[in-house]
Amino acid sequence: MCLCDRMNPRLTLPSTYCFDNNDPNSKAQLWDVPAKGATGPVRVINTNLCLDAGNNPGNGSGLKVWTCYDGLLQQTWKRGAGNSNTFALSNGQCLDVERGSTGQSLLPYSALENVQTWQCSNNGDVQQVFYTLS
C-alpha cells in the first residue's frame, strides 16, 4: 500500500494504489520517515510538509498534510522497531486505514481509501501496517 499526498496541502489525506515509478504522480508517494524504532516527522520528500493528525488526535481523526513544526505532537510519529511496520503518536494513536474503506485484503489497495488515527493495536491489525521501500 502506498500513502499518497494528493499534491494539495491542507486536504485530508487518502491512501491509494501505488503509482508505477515512471508515472508522473509517483513523486506524490515519496516520504521521508523516521528510521525503525525512531521518532520524528513523516515528511513529504523535499518539502516542509508533514503528515499531521490534527489538534486532538483520537479514534477516527482524519490526517492531513500540513506545514512541518518541530516537536508538534500531531506530527511526531514513532516508527515500529524490528518487524513492526506501524507509525504511532505518543498518545497511543496509530496511522490506520479506515476499516470500512475496502472489502479486499490486497496490498496495495486497489482504490482510494481513507487514513485516520486509531488506538494502536497489538495484534498485527493489517489496517495499521505500512511497508516502506529502502
Side-chain angles (χ1 to χ4, degrees):
M1 186 190 81
C2 294
L3 190 63
C4 184
D5 169 17
R6 289 191 277 189
M7 303 301 269
N8 192 346
R10 301 182 179 172
L11 292 177
T12 56
L13 188 72
S15 62
T16 186
Y17 59 91
C18 295
F19 294 109
D20 181 88
N21 288 341
N22 296 323
D23 189 298
N25 293 309
S26 66
K27 291 182 176 137
Q29 63 194 23
L30 299 177
W31 299 82
D32 284 324
V33 297
K36 286 263 191 181
T39 301
V42 173
R43 185 183 311 262
V44 178
I45 201 163
N46 298 323
T47 72
N48 190 36
L49 299 172
C50 286
L51 186 60
D52 186 299
N55 291 333
N56 190 20
N59 286 348
S61 294
L63 298 169
K64 60 188 174 189
V65 175
W66 203 256
T67 303
C68 298
Y69 295 97
D70 288 338
L72 198 62
L73 166 77
Q74 60 263 38
Q75 294 180 355
T76 304
W77 300 88
K78 179 169 182 157
R79 185 171 171 197
N83 291 328
S84 175
N85 292 297
T86 59
F87 289 86
L89 297 168
S90 63
N91 68 350
Q93 294 287 305
C94 280
L95 180 59
D96 181 274
V97 177
E98 286 183 15
R99 186 168 296 280
S101 290
T102 183
Q104 302 175 3
S105 296
L106 301 177
L107 291 175
Y109 288 93
S110 58
L112 292 177
E113 311 296 349
N114 294 324
V115 289
Q116 63 185 1
T117 61
W118 201 266
Q119 181 178 354
C120 295
S121 168
N122 292 323
N123 65 2
D125 186 346
V126 296
Q127 308 301 120
Q128 295 181 356
V129 175
F130 295 84
Y131 295 95
T132 60
L133 302 175
S134 300

